CSV table of all heavy atoms in Angstrom, one decimal:
chain,number,residue,atom,x,y,z
A,231,GLY,N,4.2,7.1,9.6
A,231,GLY,CA,3.0,7.3,10.3
A,231,GLY,C,2.2,6.0,10.5
A,231,GLY,O,1.7,5.7,11.6
A,232,PHE,N,2.3,5.0,9.6
A,232,PHE,CA,1.6,3.7,9.8
A,232,PHE,C,2.4,2.9,10.8
A,232,PHE,O,1.8,2.1,11.5
A,232,PHE,CB,1.5,3.0,8.4
A,232,PHE,CG,0.3,3.6,7.6
A,232,PHE,CD1,0.5,4.6,6.7
A,232,PHE,CD2,-1.0,3.2,7.8
A,232,PHE,CE1,-0.6,5.2,6.0
A,232,PHE,CE2,-2.1,3.7,7.1
A,232,PHE,CZ,-1.8,4.7,6.2
A,233,VAL,N,3.7,3.0,10.8
A,233,VAL,CA,4.5,2.3,11.8
A,233,VAL,C,4.1,2.8,13.2
A,233,VAL,O,3.8,1.9,14.1
A,233,VAL,CB,6.0,2.5,11.6
A,233,VAL,CG1,6.9,1.9,12.7
A,233,VAL,CG2,6.5,1.9,10.2
A,234,VAL,N,4.1,4.1,13.4
A,234,VAL,CA,3.7,4.6,14.7
A,234,VAL,C,2.3,4.2,15.1
A,234,VAL,O,2.0,3.9,16.3
A,234,VAL,CB,3.8,6.2,14.7
A,234,VAL,CG1,3.2,6.8,15.9
A,234,VAL,CG2,5.3,6.6,14.6
A,235,HIS,N,1.4,4.2,14.2
A,235,HIS,CA,-0.1,4.0,14.5
A,235,HIS,C,-0.5,2.6,14.2
A,235,HIS,O,-1.7,2.4,14.3
A,235,HIS,CB,-0.9,5.0,13.8
A,235,HIS,CG,-0.7,6.5,14.2
A,235,HIS,ND1,-1.0,6.9,15.4
A,235,HIS,CD2,-0.2,7.5,13.5
A,235,HIS,CE1,-0.7,8.2,15.5
A,235,HIS,NE2,-0.2,8.6,14.4
A,236,ALA,N,0.4,1.7,13.9
A,236,ALA,CA,-0.1,0.3,13.6
A,236,ALA,C,-0.9,-0.3,14.6
A,236,ALA,O,-2.0,-0.9,14.4
A,236,ALA,CB,1.2,-0.5,13.2
A,237,ASP,N,-0.5,-0.2,15.9
A,237,ASP,CA,-1.2,-0.9,17.0
A,237,ASP,C,-2.6,-0.2,17.1
A,237,ASP,O,-3.6,-0.9,17.3
A,237,ASP,CB,-0.4,-0.8,18.3
A,237,ASP,CG,0.8,-1.7,18.3
A,237,ASP,OD1,0.8,-2.6,17.5
A,237,ASP,OD2,1.6,-1.5,19.2
A,238,ALA,N,-2.7,1.1,17.0
A,238,ALA,CA,-4.0,1.8,17.2
A,238,ALA,C,-4.9,1.4,16.0
A,238,ALA,O,-6.1,1.2,16.2
A,238,ALA,CB,-3.7,3.3,17.2
A,239,ILE,N,-4.3,1.3,14.8
A,239,ILE,CA,-5.2,0.9,13.7
A,239,ILE,C,-5.7,-0.6,13.9
A,239,ILE,O,-6.9,-0.8,13.7
A,239,ILE,CB,-4.3,1.0,12.4
A,239,ILE,CG1,-4.1,2.5,12.0
A,239,ILE,CG2,-5.0,0.3,11.2
A,239,ILE,CD1,-3.1,2.8,10.9
A,240,LYS,N,-4.8,-1.4,14.3
A,240,LYS,CA,-5.2,-2.8,14.5
A,240,LYS,C,-6.2,-2.9,15.7
A,240,LYS,O,-7.1,-3.8,15.7
A,240,LYS,CB,-4.0,-3.7,14.7
A,240,LYS,CG,-3.2,-3.9,13.4
A,240,LYS,CD,-2.1,-4.9,13.6
A,240,LYS,CE,-1.4,-5.0,12.2
A,240,LYS,NZ,-0.2,-5.9,12.3
A,241,ALA,N,-6.1,-2.1,16.7
A,241,ALA,CA,-7.0,-2.1,17.8
A,241,ALA,C,-8.4,-1.7,17.4
A,241,ALA,O,-9.4,-1.9,18.1
A,241,ALA,CB,-6.6,-1.1,18.9
A,242,LYS,N,-8.6,-1.1,16.2
A,242,LYS,CA,-9.9,-0.8,15.6
A,242,LYS,C,-10.4,-1.9,14.8
A,242,LYS,O,-11.4,-1.6,14.0
A,242,LYS,CB,-9.8,0.6,14.9
A,242,LYS,CG,-9.6,1.8,15.8
A,242,LYS,CD,-10.1,3.1,15.2
A,242,LYS,CE,-10.0,4.2,16.2
A,242,LYS,NZ,-10.8,5.4,15.7
A,243,GLY,N,-9.9,-3.1,14.9
A,243,GLY,CA,-10.5,-4.2,14.2
A,243,GLY,C,-9.8,-4.5,12.8
A,243,GLY,O,-10.4,-5.3,12.1
A,244,VAL,N,-8.7,-3.9,12.5
A,244,VAL,CA,-8.0,-4.1,11.3
A,244,VAL,C,-7.1,-5.3,11.4
A,244,VAL,O,-6.3,-5.4,12.3
A,244,VAL,CB,-7.2,-2.9,10.8
A,244,VAL,CG1,-6.3,-3.2,9.7
A,244,VAL,CG2,-8.2,-1.7,10.5
A,245,ASP,N,-7.3,-6.3,10.5
A,245,ASP,CA,-6.5,-7.5,10.6
A,245,ASP,C,-5.1,-7.3,10.1
A,245,ASP,O,-4.1,-7.9,10.6
A,245,ASP,CB,-7.2,-8.6,9.7
A,245,ASP,CG,-8.5,-9.0,10.3
A,245,ASP,OD1,-8.6,-9.5,11.4
A,245,ASP,OD2,-9.5,-8.8,9.6
A,246,SER,N,-4.9,-6.6,9.0
A,246,SER,CA,-3.6,-6.3,8.5
A,246,SER,C,-3.4,-5.0,7.8
A,246,SER,O,-4.4,-4.4,7.3
A,246,SER,CB,-3.1,-7.5,7.6
A,246,SER,OG,-4.1,-7.8,6.7
A,247,ILE,N,-2.2,-4.5,7.9
A,247,ILE,CA,-1.9,-3.2,7.2
A,247,ILE,C,-0.9,-3.6,6.1
A,247,ILE,O,0.1,-4.2,6.4
A,247,ILE,CB,-1.2,-2.2,8.2
A,247,ILE,CG1,-2.2,-2.0,9.4
A,247,ILE,CG2,-0.9,-0.9,7.5
A,247,ILE,CD1,-1.5,-1.2,10.5
A,248,ILE,N,-1.2,-3.1,4.9
A,248,ILE,CA,-0.3,-3.5,3.8
A,248,ILE,C,0.2,-2.2,3.1
A,248,ILE,O,-0.6,-1.2,2.9
A,248,ILE,CB,-1.1,-4.2,2.7
A,248,ILE,CG1,-1.6,-5.6,3.3
A,248,ILE,CG2,-0.3,-4.5,1.5
A,248,ILE,CD1,-2.6,-6.3,2.4
A,249,CYS,N,1.5,-2.2,2.9
A,249,CYS,CA,2.1,-1.1,2.1
A,249,CYS,C,2.6,-1.6,0.8
A,249,CYS,O,3.2,-2.6,0.7
A,249,CYS,CB,3.3,-0.5,2.9
A,249,CYS,SG,4.3,0.7,2.0
A,250,THR,N,2.2,-0.9,-0.3
A,250,THR,CA,2.6,-1.4,-1.6
A,250,THR,C,3.2,-0.3,-2.4
A,250,THR,O,2.9,0.9,-2.2
A,250,THR,CB,1.4,-2.1,-2.3
A,250,THR,OG1,1.8,-2.7,-3.5
A,250,THR,CG2,0.3,-1.0,-2.6
A,251,SER,N,4.1,-0.7,-3.3
A,251,SER,CA,4.7,0.3,-4.2
A,251,SER,C,5.1,-0.5,-5.5
A,251,SER,O,5.3,-1.7,-5.4
A,251,SER,CB,5.9,0.9,-3.5
A,251,SER,OG,6.6,1.7,-4.4
A,252,VAL,N,5.3,0.2,-6.6
A,252,VAL,CA,5.8,-0.4,-7.8
A,252,VAL,C,7.3,-0.5,-7.6
A,252,VAL,O,8.1,0.3,-8.1
A,252,VAL,CB,5.4,0.3,-9.1
A,252,VAL,CG1,5.9,-0.4,-10.3
A,252,VAL,CG2,3.8,0.3,-9.2
A,253,ASN,N,7.7,-1.5,-6.8
A,253,ASN,CA,9.1,-1.8,-6.6
A,253,ASN,C,9.2,-3.3,-6.4
A,253,ASN,O,8.2,-4.0,-6.2
A,253,ASN,CB,9.6,-1.2,-5.3
A,253,ASN,CG,9.8,0.3,-5.4
A,253,ASN,OD1,9.1,1.1,-4.7
A,253,ASN,ND2,10.8,0.8,-6.1
A,254,ASP,N,10.4,-3.9,-6.5
A,254,ASP,CA,10.5,-5.3,-6.4
A,254,ASP,C,10.5,-5.7,-4.9
A,254,ASP,O,10.7,-4.9,-4.0
A,254,ASP,CB,11.8,-5.9,-7.1
A,254,ASP,CG,13.0,-5.3,-6.6
A,254,ASP,OD1,13.4,-5.7,-5.4
A,254,ASP,OD2,13.7,-4.5,-7.2
A,255,ALA,N,10.4,-7.1,-4.7
A,255,ALA,CA,10.3,-7.6,-3.3
A,255,ALA,C,11.6,-7.3,-2.5
A,255,ALA,O,11.5,-7.2,-1.3
A,255,ALA,CB,9.9,-9.0,-3.3
A,256,PHE,N,12.7,-7.3,-3.1
A,256,PHE,CA,14.0,-7.1,-2.4
A,256,PHE,C,14.0,-5.6,-1.8
A,256,PHE,O,14.4,-5.4,-0.7
A,256,PHE,CB,15.2,-7.3,-3.3
A,256,PHE,CG,15.4,-8.8,-3.7
A,256,PHE,CD1,14.9,-9.2,-4.9
A,256,PHE,CD2,15.9,-9.7,-2.8
A,256,PHE,CE1,15.0,-10.5,-5.3
A,256,PHE,CE2,16.1,-11.0,-3.2
A,256,PHE,CZ,15.6,-11.4,-4.4
A,257,VAL,N,13.6,-4.7,-2.7
A,257,VAL,CA,13.5,-3.3,-2.3
A,257,VAL,C,12.5,-3.1,-1.2
A,257,VAL,O,12.7,-2.4,-0.2
A,257,VAL,CB,13.2,-2.4,-3.5
A,257,VAL,CG1,12.9,-1.0,-3.0
A,257,VAL,CG2,14.4,-2.4,-4.4
A,258,MET,N,11.3,-3.7,-1.4
A,258,MET,CA,10.2,-3.5,-0.4
A,258,MET,C,10.6,-4.1,1.0
A,258,MET,O,10.4,-3.6,2.1
A,258,MET,CB,8.9,-4.1,-0.8
A,258,MET,CG,8.3,-3.4,-2.0
A,258,MET,SD,7.9,-1.7,-1.7
A,258,MET,CE,6.5,-1.8,-0.6
A,259,ASP,N,11.3,-5.3,0.9
A,259,ASP,CA,11.8,-5.9,2.2
A,259,ASP,C,12.8,-5.1,2.9
A,259,ASP,O,12.7,-4.8,4.1
A,259,ASP,CB,12.3,-7.3,1.8
A,259,ASP,CG,12.7,-8.1,3.0
A,259,ASP,OD1,11.9,-8.3,3.9
A,259,ASP,OD2,13.9,-8.5,3.1
A,260,ALA,N,13.8,-4.6,2.1
A,260,ALA,CA,14.8,-3.7,2.7
A,260,ALA,C,14.2,-2.4,3.3
A,260,ALA,O,14.6,-2.0,4.3
A,260,ALA,CB,15.9,-3.4,1.6
A,261,TRP,N,13.2,-1.9,2.6
A,261,TRP,CA,12.6,-0.6,3.1
A,261,TRP,C,11.9,-0.9,4.4
A,261,TRP,O,12.0,-0.1,5.3
A,261,TRP,CB,11.7,-0.1,2.0
A,261,TRP,CG,11.2,1.3,2.2
A,261,TRP,CD1,11.9,2.3,2.8
A,261,TRP,CD2,9.9,1.8,1.9
A,261,TRP,NE1,11.1,3.5,2.9
A,261,TRP,CE2,9.9,3.2,2.3
A,261,TRP,CE3,8.8,1.3,1.3
A,261,TRP,CZ2,8.7,4.0,2.2
A,261,TRP,CZ3,7.7,2.1,1.1
A,261,TRP,CH2,7.6,3.4,1.6
A,262,GLY,N,11.1,-2.0,4.4
A,262,GLY,CA,10.4,-2.3,5.6
A,262,GLY,C,11.4,-2.5,6.8
A,262,GLY,O,11.1,-2.0,7.9
A,263,LYS,N,12.5,-3.2,6.6
A,263,LYS,CA,13.5,-3.4,7.7
A,263,LYS,C,14.1,-2.0,8.1
A,263,LYS,O,14.3,-1.8,9.3
A,263,LYS,CB,14.6,-4.3,7.2
A,263,LYS,CG,14.1,-5.8,7.2
A,263,LYS,CD,15.1,-6.8,6.7
A,263,LYS,CE,14.5,-8.2,6.8
A,263,LYS,NZ,15.0,-9.1,5.8
A,264,ASN,N,14.4,-1.2,7.1
A,264,ASN,CA,15.0,0.1,7.4
A,264,ASN,C,14.0,1.0,8.2
A,264,ASN,O,14.5,1.9,9.0
A,264,ASN,CB,15.3,0.8,6.0
A,264,ASN,CG,15.7,2.2,6.1
A,264,ASN,OD1,14.9,3.1,6.0
A,264,ASN,ND2,17.0,2.5,6.3
A,265,GLN,N,12.7,0.8,8.0
A,265,GLN,CA,11.7,1.6,8.7
A,265,GLN,C,11.1,0.9,9.9
A,265,GLN,O,10.1,1.4,10.5
A,265,GLN,CB,10.6,1.9,7.7
A,265,GLN,CG,11.0,2.8,6.6
A,265,GLN,CD,11.1,4.3,7.0
A,265,GLN,OE1,10.2,4.8,7.7
A,265,GLN,NE2,12.1,5.0,6.5
A,266,ASN,N,11.7,-0.3,10.3
A,266,ASN,CA,11.1,-1.0,11.5
A,266,ASN,C,9.6,-1.3,11.3
A,266,ASN,O,8.9,-1.2,12.3
A,266,ASN,CB,11.4,-0.3,12.8
A,266,ASN,CG,12.8,-0.1,13.0
A,266,ASN,OD1,13.6,-1.0,12.9
A,266,ASN,ND2,13.3,1.2,13.3
A,267,ALA,N,9.3,-1.7,10.1
A,267,ALA,CA,7.8,-1.9,9.8
A,267,ALA,C,7.4,-3.3,9.9
A,267,ALA,O,6.7,-3.9,9.1
A,267,ALA,CB,7.6,-1.4,8.4
A,268,GLU,N,7.8,-3.9,11.1
A,268,GLU,CA,7.5,-5.4,11.3
A,268,GLU,C,6.0,-5.7,11.2
A,268,GLU,O,5.6,-6.8,10.9
A,268,GLU,CB,8.0,-5.8,12.6
A,268,GLU,CG,9.5,-5.9,12.8
A,268,GLU,CD,10.1,-4.6,13.2
A,268,GLU,OE1,9.4,-3.6,13.5
A,268,GLU,OE2,11.4,-4.5,13.3
A,269,GLU,N,5.2,-4.7,11.6
A,269,GLU,CA,3.7,-5.0,11.7
A,269,GLU,C,3.0,-4.7,10.4
A,269,GLU,O,1.8,-4.8,10.3
A,269,GLU,CB,3.1,-4.1,12.8
A,269,GLU,CG,3.5,-4.5,14.2
A,269,GLU,CD,2.6,-3.9,15.2
A,269,GLU,OE1,1.4,-4.3,15.2
A,269,GLU,OE2,3.1,-3.1,16.0
A,270,ILE,N,3.8,-4.3,9.4
A,270,ILE,CA,3.2,-4.0,8.1
A,270,ILE,C,3.7,-5.0,7.0
A,270,ILE,O,4.9,-5.3,6.9
A,270,ILE,CB,3.6,-2.5,7.7
A,270,ILE,CG1,3.0,-1.6,8.8
A,270,ILE,CG2,3.1,-2.2,6.3
A,270,ILE,CD1,3.4,-0.2,8.7
A,271,ILE,N,2.8,-5.4,6.2
A,271,ILE,CA,3.1,-6.3,5.1
A,271,ILE,C,3.6,-5.5,3.9
A,271,ILE,O,2.9,-4.6,3.5
A,271,ILE,CB,1.9,-7.1,4.6
A,271,ILE,CG1,1.4,-8.0,5.7
A,271,ILE,CG2,2.2,-7.9,3.4
A,271,ILE,CD1,0.0,-8.7,5.5
A,272,MET,N,4.9,-5.7,3.6
A,272,MET,CA,5.5,-4.9,2.5
A,272,MET,C,5.3,-5.7,1.2
A,272,MET,O,6.0,-6.7,0.9
A,272,MET,CB,7.0,-4.7,2.8
A,272,MET,CG,7.3,-4.0,4.1
A,272,MET,SD,6.5,-2.4,4.3
A,272,MET,CE,7.5,-1.4,3.2
A,273,LEU,N,4.4,-5.2,0.4
A,273,LEU,CA,3.9,-5.9,-0.8
A,273,LEU,C,4.4,-5.3,-2.1
A,273,LEU,O,4.2,-4.1,-2.3
A,273,LEU,CB,2.3,-5.8,-0.8
A,273,LEU,CG,1.6,-6.5,-1.8
A,273,LEU,CD1,1.8,-8.0,-1.7
A,273,LEU,CD2,0.1,-6.2,-1.7
A,274,ALA,N,5.2,-6.1,-2.8
A,274,ALA,CA,5.8,-5.6,-4.0
A,274,ALA,C,4.9,-5.7,-5.2
A,274,ALA,O,4.5,-6.8,-5.6
A,274,ALA,CB,7.1,-6.4,-4.3
A,275,ASP,N,4.6,-4.6,-5.8
A,275,ASP,CA,3.8,-4.5,-7.0
A,275,ASP,C,4.8,-4.3,-8.2
A,275,ASP,O,4.7,-3.3,-8.9
A,275,ASP,CB,2.8,-3.4,-6.9
A,275,ASP,CG,1.8,-3.4,-8.1
A,275,ASP,OD1,1.7,-4.3,-8.8
A,275,ASP,OD2,1.0,-2.3,-8.2
A,276,GLY,N,5.7,-5.3,-8.4
A,276,GLY,CA,6.8,-5.1,-9.2
A,276,GLY,C,6.6,-4.6,-10.6
A,276,GLY,O,7.3,-3.7,-11.2
A,277,ILE,N,5.5,-5.1,-11.3
A,277,ILE,CA,5.2,-4.6,-12.6
A,277,ILE,C,3.9,-3.8,-12.7
A,277,ILE,O,3.3,-3.7,-13.8
A,277,ILE,CB,5.2,-5.8,-13.6
A,277,ILE,CG1,4.3,-7.0,-13.2
A,277,ILE,CG2,6.6,-6.4,-13.8
A,277,ILE,CD1,4.1,-8.1,-14.2
A,278,GLY,N,3.5,-3.4,-11.5
A,278,GLY,CA,2.3,-2.5,-11.5
A,278,GLY,C,1.0,-3.1,-11.7
A,278,GLY,O,0.0,-2.5,-12.1
A,279,ASN,N,0.9,-4.4,-11.4
A,279,ASN,CA,-0.4,-5.1,-11.6
A,279,ASN,C,-1.5,-4.5,-10.8
A,279,ASN,O,-2.6,-4.4,-11.3
A,279,ASN,CB,-0.2,-6.6,-11.2
A,279,ASN,CG,0.5,-7.5,-12.1
A,279,ASN,OD1,0.7,-7.1,-13.3
A,279,ASN,ND2,1.0,-8.6,-11.7
A,280,LEU,N,-1.2,-4.2,-9.5
A,280,LEU,CA,-2.3,-3.7,-8.7
A,280,LEU,C,-2.6,-2.2,-9.0
A,280,LEU,O,-3.8,-1.8,-9.1
A,280,LEU,CB,-1.8,-3.7,-7.2
A,280,LEU,CG,-2.9,-3.2,-6.2
A,280,LEU,CD1,-4.2,-4.0,-6.3
A,280,LEU,CD2,-2.3,-3.2,-4.8
A,281,ALA,N,-1.5,-1.4,-9.3
A,281,ALA,CA,-1.8,0.0,-9.6
A,281,ALA,C,-2.7,0.1,-10.9
A,281,ALA,O,-3.6,0.9,-10.9
A,281,ALA,CB,-0.4,0.7,-9.9
A,282,GLU,N,-2.4,-0.8,-11.8
A,282,GLU,CA,-3.2,-0.8,-13.1
A,282,GLU,C,-4.7,-1.3,-12.8
A,282,GLU,O,-5.6,-0.8,-13.2
A,282,GLU,CB,-2.6,-1.7,-14.1
A,282,GLU,CG,-3.4,-1.7,-15.4
A,282,GLU,CD,-2.7,-2.6,-16.5
A,282,GLU,OE1,-1.7,-3.2,-16.2
A,282,GLU,OE2,-3.3,-2.7,-17.6
A,283,ALA,N,-4.7,-2.4,-12.0
A,283,ALA,CA,-6.0,-3.0,-11.7
A,283,ALA,C,-7.0,-2.1,-11.0
A,283,ALA,O,-8.2,-2.1,-11.2
A,283,ALA,CB,-5.9,-4.3,-10.9
A,284,VAL,N,-6.4,-1.2,-10.1
A,284,VAL,CA,-7.3,-0.2,-9.4
A,284,VAL,C,-7.3,1.1,-10.1
A,284,VAL,O,-8.0,2.1,-9.6
A,284,VAL,CB,-6.9,-0.1,-7.9
A,284,VAL,CG1,-7.1,-1.4,-7.2
A,284,VAL,CG2,-5.5,0.4,-7.7
A,285,GLY,N,-6.7,1.2,-11.2
A,285,GLY,CA,-6.7,2.5,-12.0
A,285,GLY,C,-6.0,3.6,-11.3
A,285,GLY,O,-6.4,4.8,-11.5
A,286,LEU,N,-5.0,3.3,-10.6
A,286,LEU,CA,-4.3,4.4,-9.9
A,286,LEU,C,-2.8,4.4,-10.2
A,286,LEU,O,-1.9,4.6,-9.3
A,286,LEU,CB,-4.5,4.2,-8.3
A,286,LEU,CG,-5.9,4.5,-7.9
A,286,LEU,CD1,-6.2,4.0,-6.5
A,286,LEU,CD2,-6.1,6.1,-7.9
A,287,GLU,N,-2.5,4.3,-11.5
A,287,GLU,CA,-1.1,4.4,-11.9
A,287,GLU,C,-0.7,5.9,-11.9
A,287,GLU,O,-1.5,6.8,-11.9
A,287,GLU,CB,-0.9,3.9,-13.3
A,287,GLU,CG,-1.4,2.5,-13.6
A,287,GLU,CD,-2.7,2.5,-14.4
A,287,GLU,OE1,-3.6,3.3,-14.0
A,287,GLU,OE2,-2.8,1.8,-15.4
Side-chain angles (χ1 to χ4, degrees):
F232 282 93
V233 172
V234 166
H235 294 294
D237 287 342
I239 289 171
K240 289 184 177 176
K242 290 203 171 196
V244 170
D245 296 299
S246 47
I247 305 170
I248 299 174
C249 173
T250 188
S251 177
V252 179
N253 287 112
D254 65 67
F256 293 98
V257 168
M258 291 302 285
D259 185 55
W261 191 35
K263 286 179 173 145
N264 172 267
Q265 294 278 323
N266 300 311
E268 291 88 3
E269 292 198 63
I270 297 173
I271 297 170
M272 302 301 289
L273 184 62
D275 188 11
I277 54 173
N279 285 342
L280 179 61
E282 182 182 0
V284 296
L286 288 166
E287 308 105 311

